[in-house]
């Protein structure tokens, strides 16, 4: 499967930083609705919080999120975050992407890493 010159929208970074009610969020934050947690906010760095964000997360919060992610998903994910350079491998469902390189765009709280391909 190839996508031609335009990548699918799911791989493009989100440009609208708004809540479902239309409130503007600081850059990099998005609103998440979870059946078990209710509404919370997630930053591209992996930091999450229940309070409405007023700016970028504190460095300590980003480190906490990275450590938590490392415990949950393994030591290799600790270095993943916006701007990290990656090479894709082991994608059984998408063999055409094997060996491609890209840049991490965001790390989702559910463990997915969004990558913009080179």
């Amino acid at each position: 499967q190839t996508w031609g010159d335009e990548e699918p929208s799911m791989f493009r970074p989100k440009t609208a930083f708004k809540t479902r009610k239309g409130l503007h969020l600081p850059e990099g934050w998005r609103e998440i609705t979870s059946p078990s947690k209710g509404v919370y906010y997630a930053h591209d760095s992996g930091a999450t919080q229940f309070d409405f964000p007023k700016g970028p997360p504190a460095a300590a919060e980003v480190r906490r999120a990275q450590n938590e992610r490392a415990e949950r998903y393994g030591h290799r994910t600790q270095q993943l975050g916006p701007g990290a350079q990656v090479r894709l491998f082991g994608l059984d469902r998408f063999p055409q992407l094997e060996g491609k390189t890209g840049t991490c765009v965001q790390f989702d709280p559910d463990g997915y890493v969004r990558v913009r391909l080179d």
Side-chain angles (χ1 to χ4, degrees):
Q1 177 184 28
T2 58
W3 295 300
D5 292 336
E6 186 174 332
E7 61 188 346
S9 61
M10 67 182 176
F11 293 121
R12 282 186 231 128
K14 297 177 181 177
T15 55
F17 300 103
K18 292 184 179 181
T19 66
R20 291 187 314 151
K21 294 181 179 179
L23 299 173
H24 289 278
L25 288 165
E27 186 173 341
W29 287 99
R30 61 196 179 289
E31 181 182 62
I32 309 264
T33 302
S34 165
S36 62
K37 297 179 184 176
V39 175
Y40 67 97
Y41 303 93
H43 190 263
D44 290 344
S45 65
T48 59
Q49 63 187 48
F50 287 100
D51 295 328
F52 190 86
K54 294 179 175 66
E61 181 59 25
V62 172
R63 281 192 301 278
R64 185 203 58 77
Q66 289 171 339
N67 291 337
E68 184 178 288
R69 184 171 64 220
E71 288 176 22
R72 183 179 292 168
Y73 300 109
H75 71 283
R76 291 182 180 177
T77 64
Q78 198 167 19
Q79 298 172 356
L80 290 178
Q85 299 297 307
V86 297
R87 180 177 304 276
L88 305 179
F89 66 93
L91 300 174
D92 297 333
R93 293 183 54 210
F94 301 99
Q96 73 278 11
L97 297 177
E98 188 73 23
K100 300 259 186 198
T101 59
T103 304
C104 289
V105 178
Q106 71 185 45
F107 188 89
D108 290 341
D110 55 5
Y112 290 100
V113 177
R114 294 182 189 267
V115 174
R116 178 178 301 281
L117 297 175
D118 293 335

